[in-house]
Amino acid sequence: ERPMIRAAKYMILRSPNEAEEKMIQLGSRRAHSAIRKYQQNLSLWAAAKAAMATVDIRFANSFTGLAITKNFVGSPHIDTTNIGPFYGLSLGNFKDGTGGVRVELDAMTVCEVNTKNRLGKIDGRFVHFVAPYDVDETTRYSLIFYLTEGEVQVKGRAVFGDIV
């Protein structure tokens, strides 16, 4: 789906509200495609939303995009279209203490948020990347819940909650 991404699988689902708004405004084929993909993956969206609701009900009702990956390996980057923090969840048989999300707190400090079997909240408008894990011998799935529509949130902290 995104040719510059290194992952065994990578899929983005857009919220139905975001896709419908774009379809009404633009009537684009991309919006039609996004709605069709959402409908085909409705149960996945619903399960992800239910998981999010266990930690942040407001975010569960407002996230506009969900990236689903398998064995994603990413270089340091900033999410330029995000309007606020995102939540990440990773699952799989990769070793504990690996495969979290590393975030630059400042020019000299990088921390790691453990997202294995838990939701971690990170502001993707800070430089971040997936920490190393054994991509050849293990499997790591991730769900990234994010916002690209609505009121832009003030950029504050890079991470929320526990860090390593």
Side-chain angles (χ1 to χ4, degrees), residues 108-123:
M108 302 299 289
T109 311
V110 175
C111 72
E112 188 168 331
V113 178
N114 180 2
T115 60
K116 186 172 184 181
N117 301 323
R118 68 188 78 193
L119 284 155
K121 187 176 181 182
I122 298 125
D123 194 328

Side-chain angles (χ1 to χ4, degrees), residues 41-63:
N41 293 281
L42 184 58
S43 61
L44 177 57
W45 182 275
K49 183 176 179 176
M52 175 54 62
T54 66
V55 296
D56 189 336
I57 189 70
R58 287 184 60 202
F59 199 85
N61 291 320
S62 64
F63 72 94

Side-chain angles (χ1 to χ4, degrees), residues 50-142:
M52 175 54 62
T54 66
V55 296
D56 189 336
I57 189 70
R58 287 184 60 202
F59 199 85
N61 291 320
S62 64
F63 72 94
T64 59
L66 178 66
I68 302 105
T69 73
K70 179 182 179 186
N71 286 358
F72 178 87
V73 178
S75 58
H77 66 283
I78 294 173
D79 297 330
T80 58
T81 60
N82 286 15
I83 62 166
F86 71 84
Y87 278 91
L89 167 68
S90 57
L91 307 162
N93 66 348
F94 60 100
K95 186 178 175 185
D96 290 348
T98 68
V101 178
R102 291 189 176 166
V103 185
E104 283 188 11
L105 298 178
D106 58 48
M108 302 299 289
T109 311
V110 175
C111 72
E112 188 168 331
V113 178
N114 180 2
T115 60
K116 186 172 184 181
N117 301 323
R118 68 188 78 193
L119 284 155
K121 187 176 181 182
I122 298 125
D123 194 328
R125 297 171 295 178
F126 288 84
V127 175
H128 63 284
F129 54 98
V130 174
Y133 65 98
D134 188 349
V135 69
D136 296 320
E137 299 295 324
T138 63
T139 302
R140 179 185 180 275
Y141 295 95
S142 66

Side-chain angles (χ1 to χ4, degrees), residues 14-23 35 38 61 64 149:
R14 304 278 180 207
S15 75
N17 293 342
E18 180 185 9
E20 286 173 12
E21 283 178 28
K22 287 188 174 159
M23 191 168 69
I35 290 171
Y38 170 81
N61 291 320
T64 59
E149 299 285 326

